[in-house]
């Protein structure tokens, strides 16, 4: 009889089984006689029951699928229960660099079963075309939900399809467009009787007033008018003077599309970038930009300058997490009228301001199956589960009863998650295993739940004002030859540019005096070839459309 059950029926039976059990604690102790028959049908949705899958997933230079206690994180424990597979972490939890870890595995031809992490997507495509990763499309029989998702999202499908026509990884698909916005201390504006700056000149005057007029009221000139959590984000200030800085939501991508979405160019060699650097150097000299922006430890500026010191005046950061400082108990105890609100990108003279940063259609993150995996159909079925309705809830919200409750049919985070010390995301990454950049479809409602009203108003403001640009560099899957060129040029070129641009902003090098030699060195290092490589991959992508 079982043979006659089609796959859809099996899936719904299986999901029914999962849902009926999910209200209880552990699967193992609550499977009743009736449920056992349901679990037995997983053989079809999840072939090769009992398979052992080694997962090498290392991301953000820090996290694996295991928690700090060395045990599988709850999401992966649940995945074991649902799929009937045994999952095992294969990544070194003490490793400090995720990409180094991935490259070490490449040198050993990927001995584990499943690989992934942030920025590993293009690498899996590259190694996949060399035979080291399994083409997922050959296993679509076991991935009906993933296939259905791709059919409904052709942009994502195009972004992850390799030049040889195969798909070598399931990507992390972000949800919701606007991610970073400008924030300013509106309580300081009020205190100094200043209006919200609408132009770059007005902003310059506002930041100067923050610097000079002691808005934090401690009698010291200790205010840091503009700051960011990462130095690369400080460079994005060049947007204010009309220059593009990053092509995508990745600091390593600096080849951008022109306004007509036709021609690629390197943003960091454009003349408007030179002009922007001169303005940034001027601001730095006047003390308007964080004097420690290069040496400050990454991801500490907001904590230090807003909570600890009450000296930070303005930033351009993640809208959800930044908005939550408005309800930070430590801040409000010290500064009861604290307000850090979203403002639109100021206009540069007659040119309307723009927002460069946004979430991508698909991140270059996710996971894929090594060619050494003895049971690729099992690995494919596991990855497919994440694209089912329940799998999506699991990947976004974690475990019912632990990290969320169902309210009116919707997963709602528990207070302990929303108010977690160190932020909701870090709690989900390290303690739950949700929101990890595995192959999953993000659900924006996960973030909306902990976005403060200030952040929600900001997102609406940016949407209504249509300030977000629409010519981001698409994810390009390079051919083997293009990959070789990219590998040879991009990282060393970025390193050289980083060093020179830092020196120009901080005044160690004069922008105009340095520029010709800087451009020549960039050319010597292959910047034109890099742009040509992007252009030809982009032209190929357009042909596919
Ligand atoms: Ca002060």
């Amino acid at each position: 009889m079982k043979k006659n059950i089609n796959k859809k029926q099996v899936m719904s039976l299986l999901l029914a089984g999962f849902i009926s059990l999910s209200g209880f604690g552990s699967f193992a102790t609550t499977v009743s006689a009736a449920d056992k028959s349901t679990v037995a049908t997983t053989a079809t949705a999840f072939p090769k029951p009992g398979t052992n899958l080694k997962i090498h997933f290392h991301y953000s230079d820090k996290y694996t699928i295991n928690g700090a206690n060395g045990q599988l994180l709850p999401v992966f424990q649940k995945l074991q229960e649902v799929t009937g597979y045994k999952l095992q972490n294969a990544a070194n939890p003490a490793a400090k660099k995720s990409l180094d870890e991935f490259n070490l595995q490449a040198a050993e031809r990927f001995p584990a079963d499943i690989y992934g992490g942030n920025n590993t997507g293009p690498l899996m495509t590259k190694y996949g075309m060399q035979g080291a990763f399994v083409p997922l499309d050959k296993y679509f029989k076991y991935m009906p939900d993933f296939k259905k998702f791709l059919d409904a999202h052709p942009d994502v499908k195009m972004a992850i399809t390799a030049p040889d026509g195969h798909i070598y990884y399931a990507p992390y698909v972000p949800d919701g467009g606007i991610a970073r916005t400008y924030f300013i201390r509106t309580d300081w504006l009020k205190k100094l009787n200043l209006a919200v700056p609408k132009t770059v000149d007005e902003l310059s005057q506002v930041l100067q007033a923050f610097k000079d007029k002691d808005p934090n009221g401690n009698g010291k000139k200790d205010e840091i008018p503009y700051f960011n959590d990462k130095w690369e984000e400080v460079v994005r200030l060049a947007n204010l003077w009309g220059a593009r800085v990053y092509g995508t939501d990745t600091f390593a991508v600096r080849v951008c599309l022109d306004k007509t979405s036709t021609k690629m160019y390197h943003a960091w060699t454009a003349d408007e970038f030179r002009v922007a650097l001169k303005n940034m150097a001027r601001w730095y000299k006047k003390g308007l930009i964080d004097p420690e922006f290069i040496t400050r430890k990454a991801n500490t500026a907001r904590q230090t300058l807003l909570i600890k010191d009450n000296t930070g005046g303005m930033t351009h950061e993640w809208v959800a997490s930044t908005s939550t400082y408005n309800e930070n108990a430590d801040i409000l105890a010290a500064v009861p009228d604290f307000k850090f609100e979203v403002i639109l990108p100021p206009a540069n003279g007659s040119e309307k301001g723009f927002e460069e940063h946004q979430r991508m259609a698909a991140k270059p993150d996710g996971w894929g199956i090594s060619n050494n995996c003895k049971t690729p159909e099992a690995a494919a079925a596991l990855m497919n589960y994440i694209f089912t309705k329940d799998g999506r809830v699991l990947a976004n919200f974690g475990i019912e009863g632990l990290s969320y409750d169902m309210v009116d049919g919707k997963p709602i985070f528990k207070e302990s998650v929303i108010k977690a010390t160190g932020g909701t995301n870090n709690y989900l990454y390290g303690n739950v295993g949700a929101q990890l950049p595995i192959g999953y479809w993000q659900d924006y409602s996960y973030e909306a739940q902990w976005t403060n009203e200030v952040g929600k108003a900001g997102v609406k403001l940016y949407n209504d004002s249509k300030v977000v640009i629409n010519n981001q560099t698409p994810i390009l899957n390079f051919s083997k030859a293009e990959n070789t060129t990219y590998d040879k040029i991009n990282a060393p070129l970025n390193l050289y540019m980083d060093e020179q641009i830092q020196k120009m902003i901080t005044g160690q090098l004069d922008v105009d005096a340095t520029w010709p030699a800087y451009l020549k060195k960039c050319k010597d290092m292959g910047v034109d070839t890099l742009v040509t490589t992007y252009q030809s991959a982009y032209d190929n992508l357009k042909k596919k459309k």
Side-chain angles (χ1 to χ4, degrees):
M1 188 225 144
K2 231 181 254 168
K3 274 184 191 156
N4 296 328
I5 299 177
N6 70 30
K7 200 176 264 164
K8 222 177 215 167
Q9 283 170 316
V10 170
M11 206 54 181
S12 62
L13 275 173
L14 165 74
L15 295 181
F18 177 37
I19 290 163
S20 72
L21 290 171
S22 60
F24 302 92
S26 135
F27 251 53
T29 55
T30 55
V31 174
S32 68
D35 291 325
K36 267 180 193 154
S37 65
T38 312
V39 172
T41 61
T42 63
T44 315
F46 297 109
K48 311 244 176 194
T51 293
N52 201 339
L53 292 170
K54 289 199 173 84
I55 302 181
H56 189 287
F57 194 83
H58 200 286
Y59 74 102
S60 287
D61 299 335
K62 190 172 175 180
Y63 301 105
T64 72
I65 63 166
N66 278 1
N69 60 3
Q71 303 293 308
L72 280 177
L73 287 164
V75 163
F76 293 89
Q77 287 183 27
K78 182 63 110 186
L79 264 179
Q80 284 195 137
E81 291 163 5
V82 175
T83 61
Y85 303 141
K86 181 155 181 6
L87 308 183
Q88 201 185 331
N89 168 51
N92 172 12
K96 294 271 185 280
K97 286 273 170 211
S98 298
L99 274 181
D100 289 353
E101 269 293 279
F102 189 88
N103 289 332
L104 278 176
Q105 294 288 306
E108 294 178 29
R109 300 304 286 173
F110 304 104
D113 299 302
I114 293 177
Y115 280 89
N118 38 349
N119 294 312
T120 58
L123 295 172
M124 288 187 279
T125 295
K126 170 181 153 179
Y127 290 116
M129 289 194 291
Q130 298 169 17
F133 281 86
V134 168
L136 297 184
D137 39 290
K138 287 199 175 161
Y139 292 89
F140 272 179
K141 189 177 143 196
Y142 302 97
M143 308 185 85
D145 298 278
F146 181 56
K147 184 179 181 300
K148 208 170 114 194
F149 173 83
L150 291 182
D151 290 343
H153 298 86
D155 271 16
V156 175
K157 187 177 182 180
M158 202 159 54
I160 61 167
T161 302
D164 67 5
H166 292 297
I167 289 169
Y168 294 102
Y169 69 102
Y172 156 28
V173 181
D175 191 25
I178 287 162
R180 278 189 171 102
T181 62
Y182 290 101
F183 279 82
I184 201 162
R185 286 290 295 272
T186 47
D187 58 323
W188 285 5
L189 290 179
K190 206 171 156 193
K191 202 163 172 182
L192 301 176
N193 202 17
L194 294 165
V196 168
K198 295 255 192 315
T199 66
V200 176
D201 284 346
E202 287 171 14
L203 175 61
S204 174
Q205 286 159 26
V206 161
L207 296 179
Q208 192 69 57
F210 283 0
K211 177 80 191 155
D212 296 335
K213 297 192 172 160
D214 190 29
N216 70 3
N218 65 353
K220 292 185 214 158
K221 257 179 119 170
D222 56 350
E223 284 77 3
I224 295 176
Y226 184 84
F227 66 93
N228 280 109
D229 259 24
K230 294 191 170 73
W231 75 264
E232 291 97 329
E233 192 56 32
V234 172
V235 181
R236 207 199 296 271
L237 256 187
N239 284 174
L240 292 180
W241 294 277
R244 288 290 306 279
V245 180
Y246 302 110
T248 69
D249 170 28
T250 304
F251 296 133
V253 178
R254 299 161 186 189
V255 176
C256 292
L257 264 175
D258 70 355
K259 282 180 180 158
T260 62
S261 294
T262 320
K263 273 187 81 70
M264 293 272 181
Y265 68 100
H266 200 295
W268 292 38
T269 58
D271 201 55
E272 63 268 22
F273 191 69
R274 176 188 62 83
V275 174
L277 283 177
K278 285 174 70 171
N279 283 300
M280 288 161 74
R282 191 166 51 82
W283 277 22
Y284 183 85
K285 200 175 173 189
K286 290 203 279 187
L288 306 188
I289 295 173
D290 181 8
E292 292 177 50
F293 82 92
I294 297 165
T295 51
R296 195 182 292 285
K297 192 165 175 269
N299 300 323
T300 61
R302 282 181 300 175
Q303 297 269 348
T304 308
L305 305 181
L306 295 175
I307 302 178
K308 191 170 153 275
D309 298 345
N310 184 29
T311 50
M314 179 184 178
T315 192
H316 180 257
E317 285 295 342
W318 297 92
V319 64
S321 56
T322 309
S323 72
T324 61
Y325 286 90
N326 286 290
E327 48 197 32
N328 181 285
D330 293 334
I331 294 180
L332 293 176
V335 190
D337 59 348
F338 178 92
K339 268 258 179 265
F340 205 37
E341 293 184 285
V342 176
I343 62 163
L344 284 171
N348 178 31
S350 61
E351 277 198 43
K352 188 183 167 185
F354 65 93
E355 177 55 58
E356 170 181 87
H357 183 249
Q358 60 197 292
R359 283 173 233 257
M360 303 160 89
K363 288 277 283 180
D365 310 345
W367 56 7
I369 305 169
S370 166
N371 200 36
N372 288 317
C373 179
K374 297 278 191 296
T375 51
E377 57 275 66
L382 174 102
M383 287 160 62
N384 177 71
Y385 175 72
I386 301 296
F387 282 85
T388 66
K389 195 163 171 275
D390 288 344
R392 191 180 181 202
V393 172
L394 178 67
N396 275 280
F397 296 92
I399 312 292
E400 185 172 5
L402 173 73
S403 48
Y404 74 89
D405 295 308
M406 287 304 268
V407 181
D408 299 333
K410 284 184 186 140
I412 303 294
F413 279 127
K414 286 182 173 291
E415 275 291 292
S416 55
V417 175
I418 304 269
K419 304 269 182 226
T421 323
T424 299
N425 275 340
N426 285 328
Y427 181 81
L428 292 173
Y429 300 153
N431 298 66
V432 181
Q435 295 294 332
L436 267 57
I438 57 174
Y440 84 113
W441 184 16
Q442 192 175 51
D443 178 346
Y444 181 69
S445 73
Y446 114 87
E447 192 170 302
Q449 283 181 31
W450 51 276
T451 304
N452 170 281
E453 290 308 318
V454 164
K456 283 180 191 157
V459 168
K460 190 174 182 309
L461 179 69
Y462 274 49
N463 276 329
D464 291 352
S465 313
K466 296 190 173 24
V467 287
V468 183
I469 56 159
N470 62 4
N471 59 336
Q472 287 226 319
T473 306
I475 295 185
L476 300 170
N477 278 309
F478 294 143
S479 70
K480 204 174 161 191
E482 287 166 346
N483 246 320
T484 310
T485 308
Y486 177 87
D487 282 353
K488 213 175 87 194
I489 299 172
N490 200 55
L493 179 67
N494 279 353
L495 209 65
Y496 169 73
M497 289 176 154
D498 289 354
E499 184 206 34
Q500 294 287 300
I501 265 45
Q502 287 178 356
K503 285 184 178 166
M504 288 190 237
I505 295 172
T506 55
Q508 291 175 65
L509 289 174
D510 177 80
V511 176
D512 280 340
T514 310
W515 198 252
Y518 166 79
L519 283 187
K520 179 170 186 307
K521 178 80 178 172
C522 291
K523 276 185 190 297
D524 290 348
M525 293 183 81
V527 68
D528 294 339
T529 311
L530 182 70
V531 171
T532 310
T533 304
Y534 267 88
Q535 186 75 49
S536 95
Y538 177 63
D539 291 344
N540 274 332
L541 179 78
K542 279 206 295 191
K543 266 185 236 155
K544 277 201 275 177
K545 269 192 181 174

